Amino acid sequence: MFDLNKLVRENIKSLTPYSSARDEFSGEAKVFLDANENALGSPLTKWYNRYPDPHQVKVKEALSVVKSVEASKIFLGNGSDECVDLLYRCFCNPGKDNVIICPPTYGMYEVSANINDIEIKKAPLLDDFQLDLVHLENLVNENTKLIWICSPNNPTANSMNREDVETILNNFNGLVVVDEAYINFSRQKSFIQELKDYPNLVVLQTFSKAWGLAGLRLGMAFASEEIIEILNRVKPPYNVNQVTQELALKALEEVGQVNDMIKELVQMRVALKGVFEKIPFVKKVYPSDANFLLVKVDNAKEIYHYLLTRGIVVRDRSNVQLCENCLRITVGTEEENTELIEAMADWFVANKPVNA
Ligand SMILES: *Cc1c(COP(=O)(O)O)cnc(C)c1O
């Protein structure tokens, strides 16, 4: 049976969280002399001299409507990367516990584990980039605290089979973290609505991709109130700054505009896939549920460097297991995509086998 109490680190359970000035007084007042702020203002037209809301209440209320989930089940971090780090710090004992990842996948799960001195166990994806449930199950032991599932996955671009994720949720007594950074580009529906069925589920999303706000650094975790409460105890008091909160609130009023961008990006992804598939040195364009394409080519390194000479940067994933000779290419603007295609065509002409 799932028992959250057994998962939380002892030092976190017994922690007295930092109590900020904003925590100790949150009522109405006109003179705030409790936080050692500069009452004279900021050297800017708009002032940022006051500490931001440590609990980001307004952003969570707006998000609660957009995502159809209670505000109490939302945690906001300085990027999803902060959520990843906090999950380790709340639930994994350094030098003792382990987590499972399914490579090739997002690099931060492993880097953050290394920083926190948590052992990583690997159940690589199968050849079709789906989860290897048998391998996963064999890796689990009594110190396994988290299983990371990235869906749609970076860099393979596919979504994981929903039934496989459900099987893991139903059979694993630790936390199952489903990273949905690319969910808005996917045909799959989010796992957020399944939170009521799975006390061990944590869903990560971000403002960095579909929302077009990577520069703001705002990540979301959705989970049971109990899990969110633990993350809140450990987070730095003012982890989401005032500017980010204000602008996120504004962006949340523009869901329609975001949906339009998502539609356009998905259309361009489909078109780009079609064009890539006609280029002779492209061996395979993998199905994508994200805003990028994983493209297998003849010689990834050479093409990568050629594109650089044309001022175009893509991600060389050719050293990654199961991604041999693959480039990860983000969908750009119409003009950027055209520029990329022209460069690829030029490379082909220059490197064409003599008899082709
Ligand atoms: C881009 C990405 C994120 C986003 O991280 P932020 O810190 O929120 O910018 C998270 N997970 C995956 C798999 C990603 O590719």
Side-chain angles (χ1 to χ4, degrees), residues 264-265 268 272 330-341:
E264 194 178 341
L265 288 166
M268 289 193 292
L272 206 52
T330 309
V331 176
T333 63
E334 202 76 62
E335 294 71 30
E336 290 169 337
N337 300 338
T338 303
E339 203 169 318
L340 168 73
I341 291 161

Side-chain angles (χ1 to χ4, degrees), residues 8 32 50 68 97 104 115 122 154 167 196 232 272 342:
V8 187
F32 284 95
R50 299 298 178 181
S68 305
D97 290 333
I115 292 169
K122 296 183 181 178
N154 177 2
T167 301
K196 50 187 167 318
N232 277 330
L272 206 52
E342 281 170 6

Side-chain angles (χ1 to χ4, degrees), residues 78-82 84 105-106 109 150 152-154 179-182 204-209 214 217-220 292 328:
N78 187 339
S80 328
D81 291 343
E82 183 176 40
V84 172
T105 192
Y106 186 45
Y109 312 142
C150 189
N153 186 41
N154 177 2
D179 185 345
E180 296 185 336
Y182 299 97
L204 299 185
Q205 292 190 5
T206 179
F207 280 82
S208 298
K209 308 285 155 67
R217 310 306 303 129
L218 188 58
M220 304 162 252
F292 60 86
R328 194 195 71 189

Side-chain angles (χ1 to χ4, degrees), residues 177-225:
V177 189
V178 181
D179 185 345
E180 296 185 336
Y182 299 97
I183 191 70
N184 308 74
F185 306 104
S186 168
R187 288 154 292 188
Q188 298 284 327
K189 65 177 191 328
S190 166
F191 266 92
I192 289 182
Q193 296 317 321
E194 317 304 317
L195 283 174
K196 50 187 167 318
D197 294 329
Y198 300 110
N200 56 340
L201 171 62
V202 178
V203 178
L204 299 185
Q205 292 190 5
T206 179
F207 280 82
S208 298
K209 308 285 155 67
W211 287 85
L213 296 170
L216 288 191
R217 310 306 303 129
L218 188 58
M220 304 162 252
F222 303 90
S224 70
E225 256 168 69

Side-chain angles (χ1 to χ4, degrees), residues 223-239:
S224 70
E225 256 168 69
E226 292 76 15
I227 294 173
I228 298 300
E229 200 264 324
I230 295 160
L231 296 175
N232 277 330
R233 293 162 72 87
V234 176
K235 81 178 182 73
Y238 304 109
N239 62 324

